[in-house]
Amino acid sequence: MTQAADARPEPSEMSREASAGAVWQLPPQVCRITGFLGEDLAETLLERAIAVPGEELAPARIRNDELETSIRRSRTRHSFGAAELMRVIGSVCERLERTLGISCRDVEPRYSLNVHNDGDFYRPHQDTGRGAQTGDVEKILTFVYYLHRTPAPFTGGALRVYDAAAPVHAGRALTPQDCSYRDWPPEHDSIVFFRPTALHEVRPVSCPSKSHADSRFAINGWLCRRIQDPADAPR
């Protein structure tokens, strides 16, 4: 029997500097919880979402309230009430701290209802910037809670979270093509938590019926911490 060759790099190879084009990838931590609210409460929220009249759903916007349908196409309602969901999120904050290594002390939720139907999507982005609507909070943690009819009357719509990647020498912008990724399916009554700095997107949705009731519904937002001076808010 012949002995396998030693594949370890030579010392000269180990001491070389990394290429200027090298990319380091660090998988972001994502916490996913299934069966989050339970069947009855999840159904209550789903019925509430379906009952929102179409005229009360506005085209979703990006950054500084810009409408850019080549980047994001969906509908949203900021005034949607989901106090039940917020109470349960509050009850798991200590476990989120241990799992994700981030302090959730003194946080408050900011959230909206988002509705994706046939052909809708959200291109790769980060949830950095000022807090939703007021600009007086720092986003600490992103959350997305999914609800829809079962079996799902649509396909697609996965949350794709890219590995955090950065060139060793910051000479070029980060693009999704630099990164590996993982897709998280929009399973009814499941929720995901991750840091707002994670690069992520909503994959295109196919909903053959095009019915509002058959949409991919999500309550998404952030756990935020109030800042003393809004001028110091992250941009």
Side-chain angles (χ1 to χ4, degrees):
M1 180 181 294
T2 58
Q3 187 175 6
D6 190 344
R8 289 178 298 177
E10 295 295 326
S12 60
E13 294 179 298
M14 296 175 65
S15 62
R16 286 180 191 159
E17 290 187 5
S19 164
V23 174
W24 289 9
Q25 300 194 38
L26 303 171
Q29 290 179 300
V30 176
C31 178
R32 178 173 182 255
I33 307 172
T34 58
F36 190 62
L37 297 184
E39 183 177 350
D40 292 343
L41 192 49
E43 185 63 27
T44 296
L45 278 183
L46 175 59
E47 291 176 358
R48 190 180 303 162
I50 291 175
V52 174
E55 61 270 18
E56 294 184 12
L57 291 167
R61 296 175 179 267
I62 63 171
R63 292 189 294 264
N64 299 316
D65 202 34
E66 302 166 42
L67 182 61
E68 182 51 77
T69 55
S70 65
I71 296 176
R72 184 181 189 185
R73 201 184 91 175
S74 61
R75 295 176 298 158
T76 189
R77 185 184 185 188
H78 290 292
S79 60
F80 185 75
E84 308 95 327
L85 174 63
M86 298 308 118
R87 282 196 294 271
V88 180
I89 289 176
S91 73
V92 300
C93 276
E94 287 188 12
R95 281 175 283 176
L96 289 173
E97 289 181 330
R98 293 195 297 270
T99 302
L100 299 176
I102 187 169
S103 173
C104 294
R105 295 188 61 183
D106 303 318
V107 294
E108 58 186 61
R110 303 287 176 95
Y111 64 93
S112 59
L113 173 69
N114 284 276
V115 183
H116 288 76
N117 203 275
D118 193 55
D120 290 345
F121 59 87
Y122 195 171
R123 301 295 185 208
H125 64 283
Q126 296 168 291
D127 291 345
T128 52
R130 296 189 174 188
Q133 302 175 337
T134 62
D136 62 349
V137 295
E138 176 187 3
K139 299 168 184 173
I140 303 299
L141 204 59
T142 294
F143 64 86
V144 187
Y145 174 75
Y146 299 105
L147 59 167
H148 55 75
R149 288 178 166 175
T150 54
F154 60 87
T155 57
L159 171 69
R160 176 167 292 181
V161 182
Y162 291 88
D163 293 342
V168 173
H169 300 285
R172 59 188 176 89
L174 169 66
T175 67
Q177 287 72 33
D178 289 322
C179 311
S180 53
Y181 58 82
R182 177 170 177 177
D183 286 348
W184 301 85
E187 181 181 331
H188 177 64
D189 194 26
S190 70
I191 190 168
V192 292
F193 298 88
F194 54 92
R195 292 177 184 265
T197 51
L199 186 68
H200 60 286
E201 68 171 300
V202 177
R203 299 294 294 162
V205 172
S206 174
C207 182
S209 75
K210 297 181 173 58
S211 168
H212 169 69
D214 288 342
S215 298
R216 170 196 184 273
F217 296 96
I219 300 170
N220 66 278
W222 309 276
L223 298 182
C224 301
R225 184 170 295 127
R226 192 169 295 277
I227 58 178
Q228 297 300 317
D229 183 358
D232 294 333
R235 300 195 182 259

